[in-house]
Amino acid sequence: MVIVFLVLVLAVFAGLHWYFWRRMVRDTTARPGTARRVGTAVLVAGPVLMFAGFASERTGAPFWLQQVLTWPGFLWMALSIYLLLALLVGEVVRPLLRRALDRRPAPAADPVDVREAAPVPAGAPARETGHRSADESAGPALTSTPSGTPAGAGPASPAASPSDGAPGRTDAPVPATTGPSRRLFVSRVVGGAAAAAAVGTVGYGTYGVLRGPRVKRVTVPLAKLPRSAHGYRIAVVSDVHLGPVLGRGFAQKVVDTINSTQPDLIAVVGDLVDGSVKDLGPAAAPLAQLRARHGTFFVTGNHEYFSGAEEWVAHVRDLGMRPLENARTELADFDLAGVNDVAGEDEGEGPDFAKALGDRDRGRACVLLAHQPVQIHDAVDHGVDLQLSGHTHGGQLWPGNFIADLANPTLAGLERYGDTQLYVSRGAGAWGPPTRVGAPSDITVVELASRKA
């Protein structure tokens, strides 16, 4: 089954890149040459690097090799998405552009009299040119030939027959052949515009990730929250995705942004890393600088289980965070609980809501950390007041938000499910391509509000 799936994926990518080659290389070059060879090489190297990047990350290749392959490979993945979208738009524009060009009159060319260019053989009979002398205007002269046939009365002389290839007069202009054909011109305009749109979109989306997440602030009223906790601030960060693409420098930007909000508590709600502690321990080191009045708490995401969850739980504890593995802690004014991600079920470490919430006092407000929004239904059953999640990335790459919205009860932002509210962060980093389009990264400061205040 896996082999069949891989064959189908490869077939789809092969067809997609053949389409790219046809529109971006073959249709924009007049003949085989350097430009066509370079374009073909790029369209072969791109998908090869993309698959190699994914394979190196999943197979635990040397970390330096992962970094070499994933940067160009993952960027090619994003570029392919927007190049395809731009070319599909180009398919609509292409016939309109050609029709507009066809309506334009062709540039006039001076008529060329072929007769003037071709020498007249000696002794050949004179031809009528349209410019007659005064004597000729009176009428054609009948001159006897040796055979007795009048020259002007018989059939055309063989020397004047067009079928024999003899030079004859033509009044049709010879068109000038300057510049590319209209078809080639249209292909170059559409292909160039598609490439510019794709590169511009991916470039801006990558810049948005690398500059670091922006702070978003949300106020959430909780009916059970005491007046003393009114204005309590929780900095929510999810989906940092430290790995071969986003490393130590990015982690430092995340830490500095969180600390600048001066939160009362920091909640790291999963997908912190994409790789082993051995490879990413140095990249995660700045997380030890996180500062909050009541500390930093952590729950696993699905990517921790791809990266060695047990080792990472121990490592974040060494960095000063407190993991909540299906556990709860009672703060002064509310309960804070955390459950493992559903991906942990394959390792016997899945979410256990009964263990985390079963014996709590339901008269107290409860905030739950759970990586995936789909866990909201269990949270509702256990009387949670607010669930904080991530996982969706807000779709990350438009139009992927439409797919992510179908797979999750809430794509991003705050929504209510019965007496329970769910807040979903778009995340601080990015998975795969270090690029976001239509889903800017964020660190959210959730300010709790008491209805008793």
Side-chain angles (χ1 to χ4, degrees):
M1 190 68 180
V2 175
I3 294 177
V4 173
F5 175 75
L6 290 176
V7 169
L8 288 175
V9 169
L10 289 173
V12 169
F13 268 84
L16 176 65
H17 283 78
W18 175 85
Y19 173 67
F20 289 163
W21 178 84
R22 178 182 174 187
R23 285 307 192 200
M24 299 297 297
V25 178
R26 190 195 70 176
D27 289 357
T28 59
T29 53
R31 62 185 61 86
T34 302
R36 187 173 290 189
R37 287 193 294 270
V38 170
T40 302
V42 169
L43 289 173
V44 171
V48 169
L49 286 171
M50 186 184 72
F51 283 109
F54 279 111
S56 68
E57 203 177 27
R58 285 289 176 263
T59 57
F63 193 62
W64 66 266
L65 181 59
Q66 294 182 40
Q67 292 175 306
V68 168
L69 294 174
T70 53
W71 261 104
F74 289 173
L75 284 175
W76 183 262
M77 176 182 176
L79 190 65
S80 297
I81 294 171
Y82 294 103
L83 186 58
L84 175 62
L85 294 175
L87 286 174
L88 291 177
V89 173
E91 298 296 347
V92 178
V93 174
R94 185 184 302 271
L96 300 178
L97 185 56
R98 290 191 62 185
R99 191 174 305 161
L101 290 175
D102 288 342
R103 289 193 182 126
R104 296 178 59 186
D110 294 334
V112 177
D113 193 337
V114 180
R115 181 200 61 190
E116 295 176 1
V120 179
R127 297 177 180 83
E128 185 178 353
T129 66
H131 300 282
R132 296 186 177 185
S133 63
D135 295 335
E136 290 173 325
S137 63
L142 299 177
T143 306
S144 296
T145 64
S147 61
T149 304
S157 161
S161 174
S163 62
D164 290 341
R169 179 178 173 197
T170 176
D171 291 330
V174 177
T177 55
T178 58
S181 68
R182 287 180 177 178
R183 181 186 296 273
L184 184 60
F185 174 75
V186 169
S187 294
R188 288 176 176 176
V189 169
V190 173
V199 171
T201 300
V202 172
Y204 183 76
T206 302
Y207 166 74
V209 171
L210 298 182
R211 74 182 175 188
R214 295 294 183 255
V215 175
K216 181 179 179 181
R217 298 181 184 274
V218 176
T219 299
V220 181
L222 298 181
K224 300 176 187 175
L225 191 72
R227 185 178 305 174
S228 58
H230 183 77
Y232 192 96
R233 290 168 299 151
I234 302 175
V236 181
V237 58
S238 72
D239 303 281
V240 179
H241 287 286
L242 297 179
V245 175
L246 301 177
R248 186 185 181 105
F250 184 76
Q252 189 65 59
K253 290 179 182 178
V254 170
V255 169
D256 292 343
T257 302
I258 293 173
N259 287 344
S260 70
T261 67
Q262 298 181 330
D264 297 303
L265 183 147
I266 299 171
V268 182
V269 288
D271 280 7
L272 178 63
V273 292
D274 280 310
S276 66
V277 172
K278 175 185 175 183
D279 290 335
L280 296 176
L287 298 172
Q289 303 169 20
L290 289 171
R291 296 289 180 267
R293 186 159 58 102
H294 292 148
T296 301
F297 294 83
F298 169 84
V299 293
T300 56
N302 54 309
H303 281 248
E304 270 73 53
Y305 292 98
F306 305 150
S307 307
E310 186 175 348
E311 290 184 349
W312 274 112
V313 167
H315 190 69
V316 298
R317 185 178 284 111
D318 293 339
L319 292 173
M321 302 184 202
R322 180 175 172 182
L324 290 174
E325 299 181 274
N326 298 322
R328 180 181 77 254
T329 183
E330 296 182 358
L331 303 178
D333 297 306
F334 63 92
D335 292 344
L336 181 70
V339 291
N340 295 346
D341 186 70
V342 294
E345 293 175 350
D346 294 336
E347 301 180 18
E349 299 176 3
D352 189 336
F353 283 83
K355 181 179 178 182
L357 301 166
D359 59 347
R360 76 177 190 87
D361 178 3
R362 292 202 175 196
R364 286 169 54 89
C366 178
V367 176
L368 173 71
L369 311 184
H371 177 63
Q372 298 195 38
V374 294
Q375 295 170 289
I376 183 62
H377 304 296
D378 290 306
V380 172
D381 292 342
H382 287 83
V384 169
D385 297 278
L386 173 63
Q387 176 177 316
L388 301 175
S389 299
H391 183 65
T392 69
H393 296 208
Q396 185 168 329
L397 296 171
W398 183 93
N401 56 301
F402 296 109
I403 300 173
D405 196 24
L406 293 174
N408 294 278
T410 297
L411 180 66
L414 183 67
E415 289 190 356
R416 176 176 289 277
Y417 293 82
D419 293 330
T420 302
Q421 297 181 79
L422 168 64
Y423 180 78
V424 181
S425 169
R426 290 191 179 94
W431 177 79
T435 310
R436 284 175 172 263
V437 178
S441 58
D442 68 64
I443 289 168
T444 304
V445 176
V446 173
E447 185 173 317
L448 304 181
S450 172
R451 292 180 176 173
K452 302 173 184 177

